[in-house]
Every structure is written in structure tokens, then in C-alpha cells.
Amino acid sequence: AADERDARERGEGERCDLHGGLWCRRRARSVPPATSRESAQNARISARSAAGPVNGAVVRISGETSVPATPLDASGQRLFQLSPGDWQVVVTAPGFGIAQKTISIPNNGKGVTSVVVDMAPPKPDVADLLVRVRDRDGEPVSNAEVLIGGESRGRTGTGGSLLVEGLEPGTVAAVVEANGFKPWKSDHLELDIGQEERIAVLDWVPQSVRVDVVDEKGQQLDAEVRFEGPETVAPKRIGTDGTETFTIRPGVWQVLASTGEHGMGRKEVVVTTDGSAPVVKLVLTPAKTEVTEEQVVIRDQVQFEFNEATLLPGAAAILDEVAATLIGHPEILRVEVQGHTDNVGTVEVNLVLSQARAEEVFKALVARGVAPERLFAQGYGATRPLAFGDSEAARAKNRRVQFEIVEQ
């Protein structure tokens, strides 16, 4: 077990005996559903040999998402719901080893797509190798080239797998290469007679992202830039020229910038493996928020339609900054989004309205990238006024949204 852990850390994969249809797993992890109910298409997958249905077959499906290893029924088939697109189907069974097939699910919403995977007993005196290529997040890597003994044996499909059949048993050199990834290599890959699996874990080639920070007049700003995403990246001051190139791994990132005098700026950037080197431009405006020990204080009101919980377009800017501020302050663990009203109307109506407005702000912040578990909404109606009296100035001050820090 210790040797296997060391091999995984070195990126040398795992070796798995698949006799009897048994799979090995690199690590246990949750697998999302194959598709949503709205786009589901029916696909009947069958495993058959020359003698008829294959008993004891287990199928694994990979594509847009993954389907866990699932046994077929006694008749050698099972109905799955898959989204339209390309999928890889890998079937194992006692006495038959491994079979692989790539399928396409149409987007017609009608009927059942029938898929028959033909299986045969393994050939004597040869080795069959299933190569599964994954990135460090455990996601399949498609179009990866697999070389055995210096010879290309093909490329992985949508599900990141390639079945190489008819190999000579013994020690061989193996290489897996994919665009945007560092090569995976094994100089001493042991192949035995029969079927086995090897998982190749590829590391990304770091990609460049240029960040430009300016004010509303286009003047460069000496800002602190940070990235929030798949990994931790230390914040960096970019200097008075307002630009810096960062090297980060592929993935979805939130880019944040602040100067102290300006509000937090934020943009989402998707860094791919194709070397496209995206440019992120952040335009910072005078700060509308301030973080204290107890609150994220806002200097502009969150505006709603009169007597409604519908946000006005003018609320977008302040909510953008609040979201960026929360994302840029991960030490703030929990925030109460409070809704407050003035004293016009009944107590019951104001409580309902303030709750609805707090929930609307909650949803707006989540839509801007704030994790929902960091927020909760609470309406207080007119029970917590900041100003007393019936003047319009007092009522305007009491109609508000507040962001109380309850845990950090």
C-alpha cells in the first residue's frame, strides 16, 4: 500500500488486475449525475459475446461527467440516462476482460439509443492494457496520446481512456502526452498476460495571465492582485505601471484587485491548456464598501422597486463590490444579509418585504460568486431603525440592507 501511495505521488499511476471484472480505484470520490433530468436521453447498453449475453458484466461510462461502475442485469444490459454528446463505455466481465466503445447520444429526445459492446475471451499469451488518463483533479483528459515502447498506440477518447490490446508481456517504456500537460512517463511498466489497468495522472503546464488595473480615467494603479480558485496563490503588489503577468494552473479563477482607496474589483477568468494567455482588465472605482470588525459597511444604498423586492439596475455596482469584497476576504466565514424597512405599513407586511429583499440580495451575491454557505438572509422589518421620526429623511435612512459579520 505504501508503494502504491508513493507511485501515485510520483505520477506513476497504479497497476490493477482486472481478472474477474474487478476494478481498482485511484481514490474514492463523489461522482456527479450523468445528466440533468431536463436533457436526459435513454441509452440501453448491452454486453454480448458470440454465445449471447455476458453475465457479471460491469460498465463504466465517462464523458461530460462520469457514471460510477454499474453492474448490468442478468440479461447483460441496463438502461442509462445520458446527456447528448460523446461518451466512452468500458465494460469488464469475468472471463472476458475489458472491452471499450465510444458512443454518441443524439439530441432528439426520442426513443432509446441501443449500444452493444462486443466481448470476447482474452487472447492467450498477450497483455491488454486499459490506460485511463486523469488530471490532478481526477478529471478525464481526452485526446492524450499513449506511446508504448516508443510506438503510438492511439489517443484517449472523451472519457480519457484508451484500450491497448495485443501487447507482448514484459517490461516496456510508456509515455502519455497531452496538449497543455507535462508528459507522464514510466520506464519500467510491467505487463503480465491478461488484462490490467494503469492510471496516468498528468500535471498541467502553468499558463500565463496578464492583469491590468486602472481607475475610471484609465490611469494605472498600484494594486494588490490575488487569485481565488483551484489553488492558493499568494497576493502580489503589481507596482505603479498597473500591470503584471501571473503564471497559474488551468481552471476557473476569480481575479481580485484592491488599492485601499478604491473598491475591490473582480473578474472571472477561465484559464485553459491551449496557451491562449488571457488578459484581465480591472477598472477600479472609489470604494463603496469598508470592512470593520462587525460589518461590511456599504456607502451606497441597495435600491429596490417601490414596495417590491425587485432590485433596480442601479444596485448592480454596489452588489458587485460587496461580492468582490467577500471573495477577497475569505477570513469572513459567515455574513447575515439583513433587510430593513421604514415604519410605513403594517408590521407583518414590512417583515415579509424585508425578508424578501434580504433573500434577493442573497441570491444576487451567490450569482456573483459568493459561496452560499457563507451567507444567510434575515428580514427585520421596521424593528431596528437607525433614525426615529416620520420624516422622509429618517424613513430613507431606515430602508436599507446591512451585511453583519457573524463569524470570522
Side-chain angles (χ1 to χ4, degrees):
D3 292 340
E4 291 177 359
R5 285 195 300 271
D6 292 341
R8 286 196 296 272
E9 292 172 359
R10 295 193 303 269
E12 295 177 7
E14 298 177 34
R15 179 176 172 183
C16 308
D17 183 4
L18 295 186
H19 292 292
L22 298 177
W23 286 87
C24 83
R25 297 179 181 230
R26 183 169 61 89
R27 67 172 182 265
R29 67 187 184 96
S30 60
V31 180
T35 184
S36 65
R37 291 179 179 268
E38 291 76 10
S39 61
Q41 308 288 313
N42 290 319
R44 179 176 287 109
I45 297 177
S46 307
R48 299 186 65 84
S49 69
V54 174
N55 293 322
V58 175
V59 63
R60 180 175 291 178
I61 307 172
S62 299
E64 178 184 343
T65 56
S66 297
V67 179
T70 305
L72 301 183
D73 61 24
S75 63
Q77 61 182 332
R78 184 174 289 277
L79 191 67
F80 294 86
Q81 289 190 321
L82 304 175
S83 61
D86 295 333
W87 298 82
Q88 272 193 305
V89 179
V90 176
V91 181
T92 62
F96 290 93
I98 315 168
Q100 176 182 283
K101 191 168 188 174
T102 298
I103 65 174
S104 293
I105 303 298
N107 190 18
N108 54 23
K110 299 179 180 179
V112 177
T113 300
S114 294
V115 179
V116 178
V117 180
D118 295 316
M119 305 196 72
K123 297 178 181 179
D125 304 325
V126 298
D128 294 337
L129 177 66
L130 178 66
V131 181
R132 295 173 56 212
V133 184
R134 300 291 185 266
D135 63 23
R136 285 199 286 112
D137 287 340
E139 297 301 319
V141 178
S142 62
N143 202 37
E145 185 177 17
V146 178
L147 300 96
I148 306 293
E151 179 183 350
S152 178
R153 299 290 181 158
R155 293 180 177 272
T156 58
T158 306
S161 298
L162 176 69
L163 179 60
V164 184
E165 298 178 290
L167 295 172
E168 183 177 347
T171 303
V172 297
V175 178
V176 179
E177 298 177 336
N179 185 40
F181 292 87
K182 300 175 184 178
W184 175 91
K185 298 180 180 180
S186 176
D187 295 328
H188 303 284
L189 180 64
E190 295 288 341
L191 297 178
D192 294 332
I193 294 173
Q195 297 81 33
E196 55 187 274
E197 172 185 351
R198 182 74 61 155
I199 300 176
V201 180
L202 303 188
D203 199 1
W204 300 277
V205 173
Q207 305 292 314
S208 295
V209 178
R210 196 184 86 198
V211 179
D212 298 334
V213 185
V214 297
D215 63 15
E216 293 174 297
K217 297 180 180 179
Q219 296 296 313
Q220 292 87 356
L221 294 175
D222 180 10
E224 182 180 83
V225 174
R226 63 189 303 164
F227 286 78
E228 295 287 340
E231 295 180 341
T232 300
V233 177
K236 184 176 182 180
R237 204 83 189 181
I238 63 174
T240 55
D241 61 353
T243 186
E244 183 68 47
T245 297
F246 296 81
T247 302
I248 58 176
R249 56 151 281 188
V252 180
W253 295 85
Q254 301 288 333
V255 186
L256 302 112
S258 61
T259 65
E261 298 178 357
H262 296 80
M264 185 83 70
R266 176 187 66 92
K267 276 191 178 179
E268 181 176 281
V269 60
V270 179
V271 181
T272 63
T273 59
D274 61 6
S276 56
V279 177
V280 178
K281 185 176 182 179
L282 293 170
V283 180
L284 304 189
T285 59
K288 301 181 182 70
T289 63
E290 178 186 358
V291 178
T292 69
E293 290 186 3
E294 298 178 346
Q295 291 186 24
V296 176
V297 180
I298 57 175
R299 295 174 181 151
D300 287 349
Q301 288 281 26
V302 178
Q303 299 292 332
F304 295 88
E305 293 277 3
F306 175 72
N307 208 32
E308 299 288 344
T310 303
L311 288 163
L312 290 174
I318 186 61
L319 292 177
D320 286 345
E321 189 169 326
V322 171
T325 300
L326 291 175
I327 294 171
H329 286 271
E331 73 279 6
I332 300 176
L333 302 179
R334 190 88 164 140
V335 172
E336 181 184 42
V337 181
Q338 296 182 353
H340 300 273
T341 68
D342 58 27
N343 60 0
V344 176
T346 67
V347 171
E348 293 78 9
V349 168
N350 284 332
L351 283 172
V352 170
L353 178 61
S354 63
Q355 182 66 36
R357 287 181 168 181
E359 291 175 358
E360 196 67 19
V361 172
F362 171 96
K363 290 187 290 186
L365 295 177
V366 171
R368 287 163 167 78
V370 181
E373 59 269 20
R374 297 178 65 193
L375 307 170
F376 68 98
Q378 182 63 56
Y380 289 96
T383 63
R384 295 187 178 184
L386 294 178
F388 295 92
D390 295 328
S391 68
E392 181 51 38
R395 287 172 175 170
K397 191 172 185 179
N398 291 331
R399 294 191 298 266
R400 69 196 188 278
V401 174
Q402 289 184 201
F403 302 94
E404 294 287 327
I405 299 171
V406 297
E407 183 180 356
Q408 62 179 326

